[in-house]
Amino acid sequence: MSYVEVKGVAKAYGKRTIIENINVSVAKGQFISIVGASGCGKSTFLRLLLAQELPTHGEIHIDGAPMAQEPGRDHGIVFQRYSVFPHMTVIDNLVAAIAFDTNFWGRLSRARRTEERTKARKTLDRIGLGHVAGQYPADLSGGMLQRLAIAQALASDPKILLLDEPFGALDPGTKIVMHDFLQELRDETGMTVFMITHDLEEAFKLGDRVWAFDKPVWDEEDPEKNAATITYDFDARDDGIPFQTLRERTNVLQAR
Amino acid sequence: MRWINRRPGPVLATVLAALPFLAVLGIYMIGSEMRLAVNPSDKLLPAPTTILSTAERLLTEPDRRSGEILFWLDTWASLRRLLIGVLIASSLALVMGILIGMLPYMRAPFAPFVAVFSMVPPLAVLPILFIMLGLGEVSKVALIVIGIAPFLIRDMSQRVIDLPREQFIKAQTLGASSMAIGLNVILPQVLPRLIGAVRLSLGPAWLFLIAAEAIAADQGLGYRIFLVRRYLAMDVILTYVVWITLLAYLLDFALRQISKRAFPWDGESL
């Protein structure tokens, strides 16, 4: 049942504990939104999920596998910036998701590359980036860049997708388009997603659960003293009002 | 309108670019004129026409003893030393720079060593090079390599460190090995940086070349300049200086064009 298992995780840098006492389990296909004030360990937790850093205490298991020691193909990641490779064309950024893993050199044979480019071309057409396939990331708008970054992360078929404020730098209109894009992809792939965001509306709109990171005790003299943890785990299905939907079987035709 | 917002048009920009060159030429011509008026056999500031006729003689007339045109012989000898030196230094810098920048296990032993080694004044070790490697080609090339490689290595490793960490993480999540990251993420992104750094180190490279040639050589642009210095042959020296400057500028220009063509994703540079 539980796909991602986080048991008693704490992370400290020297004497300073950033997060502690994190125990959560996530079912396959769930969308977790992570919110919280700055400095409450959201990004630290994401780095632990990504295995970019290892927890000081506790364990993180994905799909029952032993704990990852470094980032790998189980993790898909999209950052707010610098997620795609600036020296590769849009289409080659997608092909890289296949090429990097093929061998020690991270290179495809000529025939294989042509084949993968054809596949990548189809993906690009589907996500509305077909017309910029040959261009470099520097020529793309913020929304297109993040679209490419998400497609690239998913192209390696990860077990979990981690999004670190992916839409934080986008304008409101583009943001909404990107929400639709992400929801479509999710419906298609059934991906388990963790997304950090500062936008509460976005958190509840996209997430099945919303985790709030906060410090249970704030020290007035030294705000950095205490560690943060997950203080709330909201059920965010149906925009956060799961129990207000009509549960009884009725014979009356419903408006929905 | 404020001066920071005023821009010269294309024609005026060209004229402005030519102005300092013309000014230097003009000052030289006046100085030469004045000295020659006092003493027609003055050698310090030969008239531009004298320089031109000397240049023509240097470029076309073969040497009486060897039957070869020394000017081209010198050019070829110097360019070969310079290019081999720069090539070795930049290959070394590319490999060492990437390794130091990306692998903590390479950075730990080599970064401090390169930092200290780069402080050794290259000209101070020139005698050592002459003693150990002889007076031939090897010691001259070695001086250029020793002179510019430490700077290039340090610049390259810094460029690797400056690459956004996010790219390294992303590459790992796509399954790339350390080798795959070095080859496909780091190498293509630091290559234009390498060309930029090589362009900056061309000046020092010429300096070390000419210094080495001045001390011990039997041909080369630097050798010729220091040879004819004994006869106060300013016309020959000036011809060679202009020629060296032109060569250096053309090399710089060529590198910039290569960088522009080969790395279209890279931004504008001076």
Side-chain angles (χ1 to χ4, degrees):
Chain A
M1 177 60 200
S2 105
Y3 191 63
V4 179
E5 190 74 50
V6 181
K7 279 187 285 193
V9 160
K11 177 70 185 176
Y13 297 102
K15 278 187 181 167
R16 233 189 103 203
T17 308
I18 308 291
I19 48 175
E20 63 184 5
N21 214 6
I22 296 190
N23 292 285
V24 279
S25 75
V26 173
K28 192 171 170 137
Q30 272 192 333
F31 193 120
I32 313 290
S33 296
I34 299 174
V35 298
S38 301
C40 280
K42 303 185 301 289
S43 298
T44 305
F45 182 66
L46 200 81
R47 282 200 292 275
L48 296 181
L49 276 179
L50 183 58
Q52 184 184 345
E53 290 172 13
L54 299 178
T56 320
H57 298 289
E59 290 180 17
I60 297 171
H61 295 284
I62 298 168
D63 198 12
M67 204 162 111
Q69 301 296 309
E70 57 180 359
R73 262 173 100 82
D74 287 352
H75 317 93
I77 176 79
V78 174
F79 298 101
Q80 189 174 356
R81 294 174 64 202
Y82 305 123
S83 277
V84 294
F85 303 112
H87 61 289
M88 295 182 181
T89 57
V90 168
I91 195 162
D92 284 341
N93 259 292
L94 263 195
V95 172
I98 307 300
F100 280 8
D101 188 48
T102 30
N103 53 32
F104 178 65
W105 307 99
R107 299 255 171 159
L108 293 171
S109 67
R110 197 170 288 258
R112 190 67 208 291
R113 192 164 65 224
T114 319
E115 186 187 317
E116 290 300 334
R117 279 214 176 123
T118 320
K119 278 192 217 161
R121 182 91 218 178
K122 278 186 196 136
T123 313
L124 286 178
D125 282 335
R126 205 157 45 84
I127 63 173
L129 292 177
H131 61 295
V132 290
Q135 290 184 28
Y136 288 96
D139 303 327
L140 268 56
S141 69
M144 289 161 117
L145 272 181
Q146 289 309 70
R147 215 174 264 241
L148 174 62
I150 292 171
Q152 187 190 41
L154 288 177
S156 62
D157 200 17
K159 286 180 175 163
I160 57 171
L161 178 63
L162 306 166
L163 308 171
D164 192 354
E165 293 187 50
F167 313 134
L170 304 181
D171 64 85
T174 313
K175 231 181 199 185
I176 289 169
V177 177
M178 290 304 292
H179 291 164
D180 294 343
F181 170 68
L182 189 57
Q183 268 169 337
E184 258 171 52
L185 277 183
R186 217 193 128 213
D187 291 344
E188 234 169 78
T189 56
M191 184 63 59
T192 311
V193 186
F194 294 81
M195 178 181 75
I196 291 184
T197 177
H198 279 292
D199 183 342
L200 281 179
E201 202 180 322
E202 178 178 272
F204 278 91
K205 178 181 172 188
L206 296 175
D208 296 321
R209 289 160 78 179
V210 176
W211 293 348
F213 273 70
D214 200 0
K215 298 180 183 185
V217 183
W218 284 84
D219 189 315
E220 300 219 341
E221 261 91 55
D222 183 7
E224 301 206 329
K225 188 175 172 191
N226 297 309
T229 186
I230 298 177
T231 50
Y232 288 98
D233 181 353
F234 296 100
D235 190 332
R237 283 169 295 175
D238 292 335
D239 295 331
I241 42 174
F243 304 116
Q244 292 179 25
T245 44
L246 210 48
R247 289 259 162 129
E248 302 89 36
R249 287 164 188 271
T250 69
N251 294 321
V252 182
L253 280 177
Q254 287 182 30
R256 287 179 78 158
Chain B
M1 207 175 174
R2 288 183 185 82
W3 277 102
I4 55 165
N5 293 320
R6 296 190 191 197
R7 286 163 201 283
V11 178
L12 185 57
T14 316
V15 172
L16 287 174
L19 219 53
F21 293 102
L22 294 175
V24 169
L25 195 66
I27 291 169
Y28 179 87
M29 281 164 80
I30 293 168
S32 157
E33 197 90 347
M34 279 162 67
R35 283 191 75 99
L36 289 172
V38 178
N39 173 13
S41 61
D42 178 69
K43 294 193 100 180
L44 282 191
L45 297 181
T49 46
T50 320
I51 297 178
L52 275 180
S53 62
T54 305
E56 202 192 330
R57 177 173 60 80
L58 288 171
L59 264 67
T60 52
E61 278 180 27
D63 179 47
R64 256 170 283 158
R65 196 144 48 90
S66 62
E68 307 235 34
I69 300 176
L70 293 177
F71 185 83
W72 299 118
L73 223 58
D74 289 337
T75 302
W76 169 237
S78 287
L79 268 186
R80 207 180 54 172
R81 289 164 189 152
L82 185 87
L83 292 181
I84 292 175
V86 169
L87 206 70
I88 292 174
S90 46
S91 319
L92 199 68
L94 194 62
V95 175
M96 289 296 293
I98 288 178
L99 289 177
I100 290 172
M102 98 176 194
L103 301 173
Y105 266 97
M106 291 296 279
R107 199 178 311 159
F110 288 116
F113 179 73
V114 174
V116 172
F117 191 79
S118 68
M119 294 301 154
V120 175
L123 286 180
V125 297
L126 183 57
I128 304 177
L129 294 179
F130 279 144
I131 293 166
M132 280 173 52
L133 303 172
L135 299 177
E137 297 299 297
V138 187
S139 55
K140 295 175 190 65
V141 171
L143 181 70
I144 296 175
V145 174
I146 289 175
I148 65 173
F151 158 74
L152 289 175
I153 293 174
R154 291 180 85 184
D155 193 61
M156 279 299 99
S157 42
Q158 188 58 48
R159 299 293 184 168
V160 176
I161 292 170
D162 287 345
L163 288 175
R165 291 291 102 183
E166 284 89 340
Q167 290 185 16
F168 291 67
I169 305 289
K170 182 75 171 213
Q172 291 181 64
T173 66
L174 299 181
S177 66
S178 296
M179 178 57 115
I181 293 175
L183 216 58
N184 302 303
V185 178
I186 299 176
L187 177 67
Q189 292 197 73
V190 297
L191 269 180
R193 302 281 93 83
L194 177 70
I195 293 185
V198 166
R199 284 176 60 197
L200 287 180
S201 62
L202 274 182
W206 276 102
L207 165 72
F208 297 129
L209 172 72
I210 290 172
E213 287 180 345
I215 293 172
D218 50 16
Q219 56 182 359
L221 297 168
Y223 160 74
R224 197 66 56 195
I225 288 179
F226 277 79
L227 184 74
V228 300
R229 175 188 63 125
R230 297 173 198 163
Y231 316 113
L232 273 182
M234 283 293 275
D235 47 348
V236 178
I237 294 177
L238 282 172
T239 307
Y240 270 76
V241 169
V242 169
W243 177 236
I244 290 172
T245 312
L246 190 68
L247 284 177
Y249 181 77
L250 286 177
L251 273 178
D252 184 69
F253 183 78
L255 284 174
R256 182 158 61 120
Q257 290 305 315
I258 290 171
S259 189
K260 251 190 194 168
R261 294 275 158 78
F263 313 109
W265 48 270
D266 198 42
E268 274 296 305
S269 60
L270 269 177

